Amino acid sequence: MENENNGGRSWWPLAALCLGGFMLLIDVTIVNTALPRMATSLDASFTSLQWVVDIYAVALAALLLVAGSLADLHGRRRVFVVGLVLFALASLACGLAPDAGTLIAARAVQGVGAAAVFAANAPLITATYQGRDRGIAFGVWGAVNGAAAGCGLALGGVLTEYVNWRAVFFVNVPLTLIALWITFRTVPESRAPRRAGARVDRAGAVLFTLCAGTLTYGLVRGGDAGWSDLRAVGSLVVSVLTGAAFVLVERARSAARPRGAAQRGDAPAGPEPLLDLALLRNRSFAVLMATALLTQAAAFAHFIYSALWAQSVLGMSPLETGLAILPMAGVSFVVASLFGGRLQRLRPQYPLGLGVLVIGAGVLTQLAVVPESSWTVLLPGCVLIGVGVGMAVPVLISAALSALPPERAGVASGAVNTFRQLGYALGVAVLGTVFAGRVREVLTDHGVPRAAAEAAGGGRAREAGVPMELVREAFAAGLDRIFLLCGAAALAAGAAVLLCVRGRAATEHGSGGGSGPGHPETPEQGHGPDGAAVPDARRPVHSTAP
């Protein structure tokens, strides 16, 4: 199929870019169903399992914005290729890891590669396709990414059960080689138009990475060793200090750039702010960033512990566990596909707010888990969560775009993706701390030694000799806590959206500015299917995957 509007260029570039995005988003969830087998094989603790999941999301969230800046300055295809190579090498190291520490370190490098791929992915689509073809390309790309969450759970289950848990990482290597081959042959290089003297905000990148990393480490460490632990306290203090320094640096960067200078082309030379904090003075935009963070945590992070319960307590296989959770991803994909166009024609606060409320209701439905429950108790909640995700997540980027002038579209989409991935990383850390603490509390109250209780919480109850009736009770109590926390967070976020967010429908984005008439679209900003605004080539856009 030829792309006539692009000089006869084929759809092969889209195949490479979709494959790259699909792999990195699959790796957010593909390990979930393999965690119990990893724990047994590597003799890993519950804390180590948390880090196997979390370090990838932390690296992806922390480096997403700076990777976008590097792609703009040095070439998007170059950054995309470097990211793919790094992702493949790290995946190989993950599969060969002899112990949990090596696996965690390799997952961190994998997250770095994923950030580079994700940051360059959508901008390359924007630069490669124009007009109607761009809308088709983003429609295909969004559908592929939307399927990644469910495919990750199912594929992880298949590979773990029929091959080995290491295969969930090895599968990335041949897929990356295919993506690289297509990229070198068909994907053109592109760069964003930049002012003279523009540089990457290195100080902001280092401070943001340190803040996110130390905050996550402090939360995980505190849950494992206690909140009086010096490392936990020290990490949280460092997080606060680096976060404050990040705010000061970004405020100084923004103050050095007169308003409208970037559009006039007369901005002073120097680093551009990694995140323009002045945008958070916009109430709608600030609430949307908080919603992105809370919704990602509430909708997806708890499935890690549901999968651990299904395998460690119910004795389900990895494949059965993946299939049990699959309805959530399937329903979200169907809802987004069938109703996405209609939802984009509404003012975004309504489908977004209602969708997040449905997510909260779905999570609270899972409070029905009791010690005697089977996996079917999760099914109604999974379906409701899927409906909510299908309603809310595709509209989230449109809501952010409508809250700002069109020339800030790239900033809006990059910020949304950063807060989403950060929400998942922090959600895993917080929920893991709550879950492990509750499981340990219930088991030790029944006289189980602390070491055995911790092993049981990490999915190794049989090896630790803990009676399964006690494990059932402890896991049900732990899940009850995290479901309540996630449900409350989603309900609060949904209510805040309905009360505070104001914006135009996505189909109105081209007709006016974010704060009034007279804001023209930037040359690189296009529109996707059903008129939905497609962010410019400077930042990655959204997907329905975690």
Side-chain angles (χ1 to χ4, degrees):
M1 180 178 180
E2 293 295 317
N3 186 338
E4 296 178 358
N5 292 346
N6 289 284
R9 188 176 297 134
S10 74
W11 291 100
W12 281 108
L14 181 62
L17 299 171
C18 284
L19 183 57
F22 185 75
M23 281 190 302
L24 71 91
L25 289 172
I26 266 188
D27 265 62
V28 176
T29 58
I30 196 171
V31 299
N32 290 8
T33 48
L35 289 176
R37 298 282 178 91
M38 289 182 190
T40 301
S41 174
L42 301 177
D43 192 26
S45 66
F46 178 82
T47 301
S48 296
L49 296 181
Q50 277 185 276
W51 277 113
V52 169
V53 176
D54 228 1
I55 196 66
Y56 179 83
V58 169
L60 177 55
L63 298 174
L64 189 56
L65 289 176
V66 70
S69 297
L70 288 171
D72 288 346
L73 287 173
H74 301 295
R76 293 154 183 156
R77 190 182 82 154
R78 178 181 298 177
V79 169
F80 183 77
V81 167
V82 170
L84 283 177
V85 171
L86 196 59
F87 186 81
L89 293 175
S91 296
L92 184 62
C94 287
L96 296 173
D99 52 55
T102 304
L103 177 58
I104 292 167
R107 281 283 282 176
V109 179
Q110 211 185 18
V112 175
V117 173
F118 199 23
N121 202 297
L124 280 171
I125 294 177
T126 304
T128 304
Y129 299 100
Q130 290 81 43
R132 183 173 178 272
D133 289 333
R134 182 183 293 176
I136 295 172
F138 271 107
V140 173
W141 185 79
V144 169
N145 287 353
C151 289
L153 294 168
L155 182 60
V158 170
L159 293 174
T160 301
E161 185 165 354
Y162 294 110
V163 186
N164 189 280
W165 67 264
R166 297 178 185 275
V168 305
F169 300 112
F170 288 144
V171 71
N172 291 327
V173 178
L175 293 178
T176 303
L177 292 176
I178 294 171
L180 283 170
W181 183 76
I182 300 174
T183 299
F184 281 124
R185 291 179 62 89
T186 67
V187 177
E189 183 60 279
S190 74
R191 289 178 175 83
R194 284 273 172 163
R195 58 185 173 87
R199 301 195 303 271
V200 174
D201 182 5
R202 296 178 182 174
V206 170
L207 290 170
F208 186 76
T209 303
L210 285 174
C211 178
T214 53
L215 176 58
T216 306
Y217 179 81
L219 292 172
V220 173
R221 177 75 184 183
D224 180 45
W227 296 107
S228 60
D229 179 76
L230 291 179
R231 289 187 186 178
V233 173
S235 294
L236 294 176
V237 169
V238 171
S239 177
V240 171
L241 293 176
T242 53
F246 174 75
V247 170
L248 293 175
V249 168
E250 296 307 293
R251 287 180 64 181
R253 299 271 195 258
S254 299
R257 300 171 72 248
R259 186 171 182 177
Q263 284 70 46
R264 296 192 303 269
D266 59 354
E272 295 188 0
L274 195 67
L275 178 62
D276 189 350
L277 297 178
L279 298 176
L280 297 180
R281 297 173 189 165
N282 180 319
R283 185 180 65 175
S284 291
F285 188 73
V287 170
L288 289 169
M289 295 305 100
T291 300
L293 188 146
L294 291 175
T295 300
Q296 197 75 4
F300 299 108
H302 58 84
F303 280 113
I304 295 171
Y305 308 105
S306 298
L308 196 62
W309 169 71
Q311 293 186 58
S312 302
V313 176
L314 303 185
M316 296 171 65
S317 69
L319 176 59
E320 291 170 336
T321 302
L323 294 177
I325 303 174
L326 189 59
M328 182 277 295
V331 170
S332 68
F333 178 74
V334 170
V335 170
S337 299
L338 294 181
F339 303 105
R342 295 186 181 93
L343 295 175
Q344 295 286 355
R345 289 192 284 271
L346 301 173
R347 291 188 180 275
Q349 61 264 35
Y350 299 123
L352 176 59
L354 292 174
V356 176
L357 289 176
V358 172
I359 290 172
V363 178
L364 292 178
T365 300
Q366 296 184 325
L367 287 170
V369 172
V370 296
E372 298 77 24
S373 295
S374 69
W375 71 270
T376 55
V377 74
L378 298 179
L379 190 56
C382 283
V383 171
L384 278 176
I385 293 170
V387 171
V389 168
M391 291 176 61
V393 175
V395 180
L396 181 58
I397 188 71
S398 298
L401 289 170
S402 71
L404 299 177
E407 64 266 19
R408 311 311 299 271
V411 176
S413 59
V416 167
N417 280 309
T418 297
F419 276 89
R420 285 182 62 202
Q421 296 301 330
L422 189 60
Y424 185 78
L426 295 179
V428 170
V430 172
L431 296 182
T433 296
V434 172
F435 177 80
R438 183 59 177 148
V439 169
R440 186 167 57 241
E441 177 186 351
V442 171
L443 291 178
T444 53
D445 284 348
H446 283 85
V448 176
R450 181 183 173 91
E454 290 177 348
R460 294 181 290 127
R462 291 178 175 83
E463 294 93 321
V466 181
M468 286 310 297
E469 61 269 18
L470 294 183
V471 176
R472 281 180 172 271
E473 180 182 344
F475 267 67
L479 290 175
D480 182 84
R481 286 280 178 89
I482 65 174
F483 289 150
L484 183 61
L485 186 60
C486 288
L491 292 180
V497 169
L498 292 174
L499 292 173
C500 301
V501 172
R502 296 293 179 267
R504 305 174 318 282
T507 50
E508 301 173 19
H509 286 174
S511 61
S515 57
H519 295 281
E521 279 186 50
T522 54
E524 291 187 41
Q525 183 180 355
H527 287 79
D530 302 299
V534 172
D536 67 19
R538 301 179 190 179
R539 295 287 187 270
V541 298
H542 75 286
S543 75
T544 56

